[in-house]
């Protein structure tokens, strides 16, 4: 694999990662309630889950899961339920609009809970594994590229996702004062919650 091909692949994955998806919505949700630190913990959890899925895809374990219908269906339903759960919580927060009390609750929330939220939202989303398994074969040549090349490409996809989420955190930090306005926060929570429920429903019906 040449550096030119790899560079084009990396840029394509970064552009894809910038498209709003469940991972970005979970980071945004935690950044709104817990600031950069809260969003960072969620981003860390997503990154660990992404590395696990990337490794599974590159080493061939992902194909085994995809071909096992009961396992795939279990992961799909678990992922859909968890995304809907996170979305409903965000919608309830938008409906109540009691951000003073929510801020006190968020302050007591441990980093591990935010990390777990990020990890589970990614790890139980089978569409992440589908992405790896659909993209990687297009850049791998049997008998020429090896496991190292597969791992490099898979980890590049995971890194692109982390970079996109860090850019989102930077943006949230820069406009923090504006985001703390009650009407803006309610609107963002409403959009985030609706998006997460929509992503969960899409998993069920796809």
């Amino acid at each position: 694999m040449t550096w030119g091909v790899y560079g084009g692949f990396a840029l394509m994955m970064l552009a894809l990662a910038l498209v709003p998806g469940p991972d970005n919505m979970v980071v945004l949700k935690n950044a709104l309630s817990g600031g950069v630190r809260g969003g960072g913990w969620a981003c860390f959890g997503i990154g660990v889950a992404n590395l696990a899925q990337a490794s599974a895809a590159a080493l061939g374990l992902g194909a085994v899961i995809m071909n096992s219908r009961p396992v795939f269906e279990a992961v799909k339903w678990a992922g859909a339920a968890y995304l809907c759960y996170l979305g409903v919580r965000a919608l309830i927060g938008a409906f109540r609009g009691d951000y003073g009390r929510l801020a006190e609750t968020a302050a007591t929330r441990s980093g591990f809970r935010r990390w777990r939220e990020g990890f589970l939202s990614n790890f139980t989303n089978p569409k992440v594994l589908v992405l790896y398994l659909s993209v990687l074969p297009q850049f791998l040549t049997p008998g020429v590229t090896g496991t190292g090349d597969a791992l490099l490409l898979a980890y590049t996809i995971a890194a692109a996702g982390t970079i996109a989420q860090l850019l989102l955190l930077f943006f949230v930090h820069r406009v923090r004062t504006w985001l703390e306005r009650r009407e803006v926060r309610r609107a963002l929570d409403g959009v985030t919650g609706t998006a997460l429920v929509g992503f969960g429903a899409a998993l069920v019906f796809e």
Side-chain angles (χ1 to χ4, degrees):
M1 179 181 299
T2 65
W3 283 109
V5 173
Y6 175 75
F9 172 83
L11 289 175
M12 183 178 71
M13 291 301 101
L14 181 58
L16 184 62
L18 290 172
V19 176
D23 289 346
N24 291 339
M25 291 298 103
V26 171
V27 171
L28 177 60
K29 172 181 172 295
N30 280 277
L32 289 174
S33 63
V36 173
R37 182 183 296 274
W41 276 109
C43 181
F44 180 34
I46 292 170
V48 173
N50 240 334
L51 286 176
Q53 299 218 57
S55 299
L59 298 174
L61 299 177
V64 175
I65 296 174
M66 292 290 293
N67 291 327
S68 176
R69 192 68 183 179
V71 174
F72 182 79
E73 287 293 322
V75 173
K76 182 182 77 170
W77 282 98
Y82 193 65
L83 288 177
C84 288
Y85 164 73
L86 295 179
V88 169
R89 283 181 55 190
L91 289 173
I92 291 174
F95 177 76
R96 292 177 175 173
D98 188 6
Y99 292 111
R101 184 178 61 81
L102 289 177
E104 295 176 1
T105 303
T108 62
R109 240 186 132 188
S110 68
F112 174 74
R113 288 182 63 184
R114 297 184 186 278
W115 180 91
R116 183 181 61 193
E117 191 169 291
F119 179 85
L120 290 177
S121 67
N122 181 278
F123 195 72
T124 60
N125 185 356
K127 292 182 70 174
V128 177
L129 193 56
V130 169
L131 171 66
Y132 283 109
L133 295 178
S134 61
V135 171
L136 291 182
Q138 300 181 43
F139 292 86
L140 298 174
T141 304
V144 178
T145 51
T147 302
D149 296 307
L151 287 171
L152 173 63
L153 294 179
Y155 291 159
T156 298
I157 298 176
T162 300
I163 291 172
Q165 291 148 28
L166 290 176
L167 289 174
L168 176 60
L169 279 179
F170 176 76
F171 172 76
V172 170
H173 177 67
R174 294 292 294 179
V175 297
R176 181 75 183 176
T177 302
W178 179 71
L179 292 178
E180 287 177 346
R181 296 169 58 183
R182 184 171 182 269
E183 61 275 17
V184 175
R185 178 70 185 278
R186 290 187 74 178
L188 283 174
D189 276 348
V191 171
T192 302
T194 302
L196 287 171
V197 171
F199 288 131
L203 279 182
V204 174
F205 294 109
E206 283 187 357

